[in-house]
């Protein structure tokens, strides 16, 4: 039986030239880049709208405050964010996770933290960025003394201390509203 296959449409590559490669629908398995990573995760949600640079600054400040409060090595914990969507959600979500496969129980400490312990974490986070003088009085940058490290180097240019100062000041009740 002679089977006719519809030719696939040509597409252009990143240089703007037509691609001569083949599609992966020829019965071969698709290629996936990445891996499964099972570990402990804690989710914190706040009903606020933050830009990505603001949320990343708050995330790394939160992680630093958490590590300081519980005496956790910074390399053993990391995080990621999801931002509010365009469908009306005002929720920014911070995921704090153990960076060791299988989990080391560190993010569970955050999950099980009492209100008093959470307040200590938030205060430690606030103090860290409030006491640093990078970026001048306006707090228009971050440095290796406060938030910069190898894991967040992608965000160094967009993070600003003032974002974290404003957020944690609001969270601790020192500001009426978050601007």
């Amino acid at each position: 039986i002679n089977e006719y296959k519809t030719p696939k449409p040509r597409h252009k590559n990143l240089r703007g030239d037509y691609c001569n490669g083949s599609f992966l629908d020829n019965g071969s398995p698709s290629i996936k880049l990445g891996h499964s990573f099972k570990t402990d995760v804690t989710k914190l949600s706040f009903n606020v709208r933050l830009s990505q640079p603001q949320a990343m600054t708050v995330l790394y400040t939160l992680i630093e405050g958490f590590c300081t409060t519980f005496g956790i090595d910074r390399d053993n914990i990391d995080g990621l964010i999801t931002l509010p969507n365009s469908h009306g959600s005002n929720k920014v979500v911070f995921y704090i996770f153990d960076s060791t496969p299988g989990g080391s129980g560190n993010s569970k400490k955050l999950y099980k933290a009492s209100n008093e312990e959470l307040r200590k974490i938030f205060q430690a986070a606030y103090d860290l960025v409030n006491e640093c003088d990078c970026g001048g009085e306006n707090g228009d940058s971050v440095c290796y003394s406060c938030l910069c490290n190898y894991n967040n180097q992608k965000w160094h240019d967009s993070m600003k201390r003032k974002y974290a100062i404003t957020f944690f000041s609001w969270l601790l009740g020192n500001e009426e509203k978050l601007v």
Side-chain angles (χ1 to χ4, degrees):
I1 296 175
N2 195 357
E3 196 174 305
Y4 176 75
K5 290 191 175 186
T6 307
K8 298 297 178 192
R10 292 189 72 190
H11 65 279
K12 292 186 177 185
N13 62 22
L14 295 175
R15 293 184 302 275
D17 301 325
Y18 281 103
C19 179
N20 293 323
S22 63
F23 287 91
L24 291 177
D25 65 351
N26 58 4
S28 64
S30 61
I31 297 172
K32 295 180 183 176
L33 300 176
H35 64 279
S36 294
F37 186 81
K38 295 182 180 182
T39 192
D40 297 330
V41 179
T42 295
K43 174 182 167 183
L44 297 172
S45 302
F46 297 94
N47 286 318
V48 296
R49 278 205 168 273
L50 297 175
S51 67
Q52 190 167 24
Q54 290 170 324
M56 294 309 289
T57 305
V58 169
L59 171 69
Y60 289 113
T61 308
L62 176 63
I63 291 171
E64 294 293 339
F66 175 52
C67 289
T68 299
T69 303
F70 283 93
I72 298 168
D73 186 294
R74 176 59 185 87
D75 292 332
N76 293 332
I77 212 93
D78 212 345
L80 56 92
I81 61 165
T82 57
L83 294 173
N85 61 37
S86 59
H87 305 294
S89 169
N90 281 335
K91 217 175 249 194
V92 63
V93 182
F94 299 96
Y95 297 91
I96 309 296
F97 58 88
D98 294 347
S99 55
T100 53
S104 55
N106 289 322
S107 64
K108 283 183 182 177
K109 292 177 185 175
L110 180 58
Y111 177 76
K112 294 178 178 180
S114 66
N115 287 344
E116 183 180 327
E117 289 170 320
L118 285 173
R119 186 161 186 78
K120 285 180 184 178
I121 292 168
F122 300 151
Q123 187 66 53
Y126 174 79
D127 291 344
L128 173 73
V129 289
N130 193 50
E131 292 171 3
C132 190
D133 60 2
C134 64
E137 285 184 25
N138 293 332
D140 285 331
S141 66
V142 292
C143 68
Y144 280 91
S145 294
C146 58
L147 295 181
C148 292
N149 63 47
Y150 177 80
N151 293 326
N152 63 19
Q153 62 185 321
K154 175 182 176 182
W155 301 103
H156 288 182
D157 291 339
S158 60
M159 292 193 305
K160 297 180 180 187
R161 279 186 319 111
K162 67 181 177 183
Y163 299 152
I165 290 170
T166 302
F167 180 84
F168 287 102
S169 182
W170 166 78
L171 194 59
L172 291 165
N174 301 334
E175 297 286 331
E176 275 189 42
K177 64 181 188 173
L178 187 60
V179 184

